[in-house]
Amino acid sequence: MTPAKRTAPDAVDVLLIEANHGDVRLIRELFADAGIANDIHVVYDGDAALDFLHQRGEYADAPRPDIILLDLKLPGRKSEDVLATLRDRPELGSVPVLGMTSSPTEATIARASGIDVDACIHKPLDPTEFIDIVREMNEFGVTIVRKQPLEGMSN
């Protein structure tokens, strides 16, 4: 998968690390329905995520992500490995990471085992929860680019 070109000069690069193709489609649809012009780069496992972050192989031209949405239950290489790489690289250590999990129990276990995410999001996402996610991105200093106002938010 070749990294996408920026859709807008001030668009934010979102790295979505998600194994479930249905969840990827849903997240893309939520971004589109909300009129969000950010660039979403998708990888489906931990190995591809590390290649993206290290700009290796097919990801040699990958941008540095501004925010990462990380499935906490990846197949193969674990989410913890991806996070360790992020936290060990000075240029990536400050990138906000929103961990995505299918249950509150998984979020609790993730935190207890030292998974260093900035926030946890529960899947499946619904449009109302998505607005909350956008607000969280703004709280982390990542200002999303919107083509239109997002319902329930003021500009």
Side-chain angles (χ1 to χ4, degrees):
M1 176 186 290
T2 305
K5 302 278 188 229
R6 283 193 183 261
T7 56
D10 53 352
V12 171
D13 282 301
V14 177
L15 175 57
L16 173 58
I17 307 167
E18 172 59 66
N20 183 309
H21 290 262
D23 286 344
V24 169
R25 188 177 63 248
L26 175 62
I27 291 168
R28 284 184 182 276
E29 287 173 5
L30 288 170
F31 269 74
D33 290 348
I36 296 173
N38 296 353
D39 295 317
I40 303 174
H41 308 276
V42 179
V43 294
Y44 295 95
D45 60 48
D47 289 323
L50 291 177
D51 286 345
F52 189 99
L53 294 168
H54 288 290
Q55 298 177 309
R56 297 186 294 228
E58 67 183 286
Y59 302 105
D61 294 325
R64 176 191 170 276
D66 297 302
I67 192 161
I68 296 172
L69 302 176
L70 173 65
D71 181 359
L72 294 180
K73 208 168 188 178
L74 290 173
R77 189 172 305 260
K78 302 290 183 206
S79 303
E80 295 93 324
D81 296 334
V82 175
L83 285 164
T85 294
L86 283 168
R87 302 310 183 211
D88 287 345
R89 295 192 58 197
E91 72 277 15
L92 296 172
S94 63
V95 175
V97 178
L98 303 180
M100 298 184 302
T101 179
S102 57
S103 78
T105 305
E106 285 179 12
T108 302
I109 292 169
R111 294 234 186 244
S113 62
I115 294 180
D116 185 22
V117 294
D118 296 297
C120 280
I121 301 164
H122 295 100
K123 299 186 294 185
L125 303 174
D126 65 31
T128 303
E129 185 176 4
F130 182 70
I131 291 171
D132 292 338
I133 293 167
V134 170
R135 285 188 179 117
E136 285 186 44
M137 287 181 189
N138 286 326
E139 288 173 17
F140 289 119
V142 177
T143 303
I144 62 162
V145 177
R146 293 188 303 275
K147 294 183 277 190
Q148 64 195 37
L150 190 58
E151 186 179 315
M153 294 185 68
S154 59
N155 283 334

